[in-house]
Amino acid sequence: MSEVIEANHRPVRDVSATAASTQAGPGALVIDHVGITFTARRDNKRYRAIKDVSFTVRENEFCCVVGPSGCGKSSLLLAVAGLVPASHGEMSFDGNRIVSPERDRAVVFQSASLLPWRTVIANVSYGLEMMKVPRREARERSRAIVELVGLKGFEGHYPHELSGGMQQRVNLARALVADPQLLLMDEPFAALDAQTREVMQAELLRIWGQMRKSVMFVTHQIDEAVFLGDRVIVLSKGPGTTIADIVEVNFPRPRSEEVKRTPEFLALVDRIWNCIRSGATAQN
Amino acid sequence: MATVTPSKPAEAVPADVADDDDVAPRGFVEFLRKRQRVLLGVLGAVIVLASWQICSDLKVVNPAFSSSPWEILKAAKDYFNGGDGWAALRISAIEFGLGFVLSLAVGLIVGMAMGWWRWCEFLVDPLVNFGYAAPRIALVPLLVIWFGIGTPSKVAVVFLSAVFPIIINTMSGVKIADASLVQVARSFKASRLQLFRTVVIPGAVPSIVTGIRLGIGQGLIGMVVGELLASTAGLGYTIETAGNNLQSATMFVAVFLVSGIGVLLTQSIRVVEHRLDRWRPKVGG
């Protein structure tokens, strides 16, 4: 992420209506030649995180994005969330151009980022509160989601009283409660120990199976991406990240841990490993 | 769901539930141990007061200058029965109350504005730093000229003394808002007011409470010194006149009253803080 580009040089593409978004159908996330640069606080120079990335997340698809650390995959996710601006290219979701956070997209943050002064139930209902949903309705919906993520009985606990895995369950519940169409997950299990991570992966698939939403799941763990995703987008090493490979994953669902020991699974993991290791700067 | 065992704090079992008569000595030790903070605190005070009384009675020190706890108690009785104790207390309370409420209102608003808007910080920060560093007590003669020798000039002194610590601590509390939590709020399309109310203010509470606590201490000092320098009533005035007339006992009564009020106010702030901080993990014991 250290390729310095000149401050004035910002390739701007004039796209009045993205042609791709209409082709991809409703409910799809379309990322069309997106680049992300940002100004570093420390030297006021502009750095390029993502150079040129295009892909589509179809409706109800579980799409994973992997890439070496520093390739800008989290920046890409935050751009889709509308929290970080793209410097060029177009993004749209369900036919609407992405310019700011909207309620059809919800983020599951990397660190659980729970409000420490709120109990589990109050953290989960936060999004509804911001939408000014009546208090009683908000509590009822939150309670249902808390139960879905397996935290029944912990509604009154404060975040510091929960384990890392449970905090991430709250994080997930908080994103799910407002019933978004697209779930943006930013390495949510990265900080968990190996066993908890496996439990959480299975839990995520169980919950996703019940809710059916589009998911963009960013991770640096290749086996996690292959286990969870319908498709894996492999990003190249930064700076100037592009797409190195797109891998279809066709294991039947519901998936169990056993999948991880099949030769097909290992072959896919190997393929992605090699793709990343070769420092793949392949133009997509 | 193997990992949903929380680090739930163990329910405190009331220690005296199993207290039968035969374990009474053990229960008594436990009783002392649990209250050792209060008991030892009282013991320390008793030792000091007793030594004071003994030194005074044995004429180790001159009782006319140093007084004694017993003399002070008698002076307190006179001060409030027929003396101007209640009037002085009332005047001082009004001066401190008005000045402090004013400094709280101004301090919170200015501090929050400075923490929230950078331009506001840049605009006001030099003034605040100047005001904080200035020997504000030295302005009392000037304030008396502006506001007269009565209550308004003391309100002004209390205000000037208390407002700066409140401004500075409120500002820093608002500024340290957790960036990741701000991002969470933004992802839920929180309005700026919602962001402020749900993320910034709760995060700033510990700093704000610190500012208020410092403000109380500074405000009380301002009140007493203001009354010492120029006044016609109040606890500081009592200290001044009693001191001039060598009524050391009466002087001590007023001094103890001021300290007592300070302790009381600080303790009540601690109670409020404790209520607001229920969510915070307990560090140590």
Side-chain angles (χ1 to χ4, degrees):
Chain A
M1 281 210 277
S2 52
E3 184 195 7
V4 182
I5 62 167
E6 276 124 52
N8 302 338
H9 176 70
R10 273 206 265 164
V12 177
R13 287 162 46 93
D14 187 275
V15 188
S16 42
T18 44
S21 63
T22 45
Q23 287 165 17
L29 168 70
V30 178
I31 299 174
D32 186 20
H33 292 287
V34 162
I36 299 169
T37 58
F38 60 90
T39 308
R41 271 261 169 92
R42 98 188 102 91
D43 54 5
N44 252 333
K45 279 182 183 148
R46 291 191 68 80
Y47 290 88
R48 171 180 286 164
I50 299 278
K51 184 178 170 195
D52 185 354
V53 166
S54 299
F55 66 92
T56 300
V57 178
R58 296 184 279 260
E59 190 175 10
N60 292 343
E61 182 184 27
F62 200 123
C63 181
C64 292
V65 178
V66 293
S69 50
C71 76
K73 52 192 188 297
S74 284
S75 303
L76 183 63
L77 181 131
L78 293 178
V80 172
L83 291 167
V84 161
S87 47
H88 62 274
E90 282 285 319
M91 291 172 297
S92 69
F93 179 65
D94 201 15
N96 301 315
R97 213 169 140 239
I98 292 173
V99 284
S100 65
E102 283 302 333
R103 279 165 188 150
D104 52 10
R105 285 164 273 136
V107 187
V108 179
F109 289 92
Q110 185 166 3
S111 54
S113 298
L114 303 176
L115 299 178
W117 45 81
R118 283 181 176 234
T119 58
V120 166
I121 193 81
N123 263 292
V124 171
S125 59
Y126 185 75
L128 297 175
E129 198 180 312
M130 296 303 102
M131 288 163 67
K132 302 205 163 70
V133 171
R135 207 182 148 76
R136 183 174 298 177
E137 187 195 336
R139 283 290 147 125
E140 266 166 33
R141 285 170 66 180
S142 307
R143 220 169 277 282
I145 296 287
V146 165
E147 201 173 336
L148 176 72
V149 300
L151 285 179
K152 194 170 163 55
F154 294 99
E155 290 88 347
H157 284 63
Y158 285 98
H160 78 269
E161 298 171 320
L162 304 178
S163 67
M166 295 172 82
Q167 290 186 14
Q168 285 300 349
R169 286 172 195 261
V170 180
N171 192 7
L172 177 62
R174 179 176 62 185
L176 288 175
V177 76
D179 199 24
Q181 293 166 263
L182 175 62
L183 207 52
L184 301 166
M185 307 189 70
D186 185 10
E187 302 200 47
F189 308 145
L192 303 180
D193 62 87
Q195 282 157 328
T196 310
R197 168 191 286 261
E198 294 217 329
V199 172
M200 289 302 292
Q201 289 169 357
E203 281 287 281
L204 175 60
L205 286 184
R206 174 183 70 79
I207 292 160
W208 178 69
Q210 286 180 36
M211 309 219 28
R212 278 292 152 183
K213 294 183 184 308
S214 314
V215 179
M216 176 174 165
F217 188 101
V218 165
T219 177
H220 65 267
Q221 290 251 324
I222 294 164
D223 59 338
E224 182 170 84
V226 175
F227 179 62
L228 294 174
D230 296 317
R231 243 172 357 134
V232 180
I233 314 285
V234 187
L235 297 182
S236 70
K237 220 173 114 212
T241 299
T242 56
I243 289 181
D245 199 0
I246 296 183
V247 179
E248 295 279 342
V249 184
N250 292 318
F251 302 118
R253 294 185 189 271
R255 291 174 190 171
S256 66
E257 287 289 310
E258 277 80 70
V259 169
K260 291 187 177 178
R261 283 178 281 280
T262 62
E264 294 84 357
F265 185 92
L266 298 172
L268 281 182
V269 171
D270 248 19
R271 174 177 157 192
I272 297 172
W273 245 122
N274 289 329
C275 181
I276 290 177
R277 195 161 20 193
S278 63
T281 45
Q283 308 299 310
N284 61 310
Chain B
M1 275 220 235
T3 55
V4 283
T5 320
S7 51
K8 191 179 169 184
E11 288 292 320
V13 180
D16 50 354
V17 158
D19 254 8
D20 290 328
D21 283 349
D22 54 342
V23 290
R26 190 150 173 243
F28 184 65
V29 170
E30 186 68 10
F31 175 88
L32 291 181
R33 204 182 61 79
K34 270 184 150 173
R35 288 159 185 77
Q36 61 177 344
R37 191 193 174 105
V38 175
L39 291 174
L40 289 177
V42 170
L43 183 66
V46 167
I47 289 173
V48 169
L49 290 175
S51 339
W52 188 358
Q53 186 68 49
I54 291 164
C55 287
S56 178
D57 287 348
L58 299 178
K59 305 268 186 316
V60 180
V61 291
N62 186 344
F65 298 150
S66 69
S67 190
S68 71
W70 186 242
E71 286 298 317
I72 293 168
L73 270 178
K74 282 196 293 187
K77 197 168 150 264
D78 293 344
Y79 190 49
F80 285 106
N81 286 342
D84 46 8
W86 290 115
L89 201 58
R90 199 172 58 87
I91 293 281
S92 288
I94 289 171
E95 289 168 353
F96 177 78
L98 285 178
F100 188 72
V101 167
L102 205 61
S103 68
L104 199 60
V106 172
L108 289 178
I109 291 170
V110 172
M112 284 179 188
M114 287 174 73
W116 192 241
W117 292 296
R118 264 161 78 87
W119 62 265
C120 188
E121 187 194 344
F122 294 159
L123 185 74
V124 186
D125 197 47
L127 299 173
V128 168
N129 279 331
F130 186 80
Y132 187 58
R136 283 153 287 160
I137 294 297
L139 293 176
V140 170
L142 199 60
L143 293 172
V144 170
I145 293 171
W146 290 353
F147 298 110
I149 201 162
T151 303
S153 60
K154 308 310 171 301
V155 173
V157 181
V158 172
F159 170 77
L160 281 180
S161 306
V163 77
F164 291 104
I166 298 177
I167 290 179
I168 290 169
N169 284 285
T170 303
M171 174 184 72
S172 70
V174 169
K175 277 175 76 170
I176 54 162
D178 188 331
S180 67
L181 297 183
V182 171
Q183 199 166 53
V184 169
R186 284 186 57 213
S187 83
F188 285 110
K189 283 194 75 112
S191 68
R192 282 169 80 83
L193 188 67
Q194 284 174 324
L195 171 64
F196 203 69
R197 192 171 53 78
T198 60
V199 175
V200 177
I201 298 279
V205 161
S207 294
I208 293 175
V209 171
T210 302
I212 291 175
R213 186 178 298 155
L214 290 172
I216 288 174
Q218 296 277 311
L220 280 175
I221 292 172
M223 176 193 87
V224 172
V225 176
E227 288 175 349
L228 279 177
L229 290 179
S231 67
T232 54
L235 293 173
Y237 178 74
T238 299
I239 295 173
E240 167 75 2
T241 50
N244 285 344
N245 296 328
L246 228 76
Q247 299 169 320
S248 45
T250 309
M251 205 191 91
F252 274 117
V253 171
V255 168
F256 284 164
L257 276 174
V258 173
S259 324
I261 292 167
V263 171
L264 215 64
L265 289 174
T266 313
Q267 283 300 323
S268 48
I269 283 295
R270 187 173 288 179
V271 171
V272 173
E273 185 181 21
H274 197 70
R275 274 190 63 87
L276 292 171
D277 257 2
R278 266 174 312 177
W279 55 271
R280 203 181 288 280
K282 303 284 172 289
V283 180

